[in-house]
Amino acid sequence: MLRALYSEHGGPLFGYVLRLTGGDRSQAEDVVQETLLRAWKHPESLVGRPVRPWLFTVARNLVVDAHRAKRARPPETWIDEQLMTTPSGSDDIDRALESWAVAEALTGLSPAHRAVLVETFYRGRSVAEAATTLGIPPGTVKSRTYYALRALKLALEERGMAP
């Protein structure tokens, strides 16, 4: 079923999502994959109705949700995510030096701030997962992450690594 859906609707769906994401191929591929996964998990939603409009609606909702999720995060997280990702043109030595500087800056943070950043950024846990792991409320994870990122940004700026 999934293969038939993809062969019939995959191309137009990908083109539609690519336009919605502003040409971001990676995000478009992820959205198409998630859309088809939802169709596979909920085949009852496809019975008795045209399939393509349902797929396009689900894809649009996924793009809107991703956009809203990004906008809900404080701007400090956008800047620091850029610092923590490796620039495409840098070589191994530059990456090693940046990693070393970020690790050194992390050691200057309080243990509570460092723990929150390690759980959310390095281990990729959600706020709820980090809260469970650290044994603190989700709201505390959010506020500590906010202040930890601000402190990390300041520490990196002091080391000459301004965004």
Side-chain angles (χ1 to χ4, degrees), residues 63-112:
V63 171
V64 168
D65 289 347
H67 178 71
R68 286 179 180 161
K70 182 178 179 186
R71 291 187 49 95
R73 297 175 65 196
E76 286 81 6
T77 61
W78 302 345
I79 294 168
D80 292 318
E81 280 179 355
Q82 292 171 359
L83 286 175
M84 292 185 179
T85 58
T86 307
S88 59
S90 68
D91 60 2
D92 292 337
I93 294 173
D94 287 340
R95 277 185 273 179
L97 290 173
E98 287 176 4
S99 296
W100 177 71
V102 171
E104 185 179 295
L106 279 171
T107 61
L109 300 179
S110 71

Side-chain angles (χ1 to χ4, degrees), residues 130-147:
T132 301
T133 302
L134 297 172
I136 57 177
T140 303
V141 171
K142 290 178 186 179
S143 65
R144 282 189 189 168
T145 302
Y146 174 80
Y147 289 111

Side-chain angles (χ1 to χ4, degrees), residues 1 5 34-43 46 54-55:
M1 173 190 130
L5 271 177
E34 180 63 27
T35 301
L36 292 173
L37 181 66
R38 289 187 183 192
W40 179 67
K41 285 183 176 180
H42 303 285
L46 305 174
W54 186 88
L55 292 171

Side-chain angles (χ1 to χ4, degrees), residues 9 18 25 30-31 50 62 96 98 100 102 104 107 134 149 151 156 163:
H9 304 287
L18 191 61
R25 292 187 68 83
D30 289 345
V31 169
L62 289 169
E98 287 176 4
W100 177 71
V102 171
E104 185 179 295
T107 61
L134 297 172
L149 288 172
L156 289 171

Side-chain angles (χ1 to χ4, degrees), residues 11-46:
L13 182 62
F14 180 75
Y16 173 70
V17 174
L18 191 61
R19 285 189 299 279
L20 288 178
T21 60
D24 185 346
R25 292 187 68 83
S26 176
Q27 185 183 5
E29 290 169 357
D30 289 345
V31 169
V32 168
Q33 182 178 8
E34 180 63 27
T35 301
L36 292 173
L37 181 66
R38 289 187 183 192
W40 179 67
K41 285 183 176 180
H42 303 285
E44 71 280 358
S45 299
L46 305 174

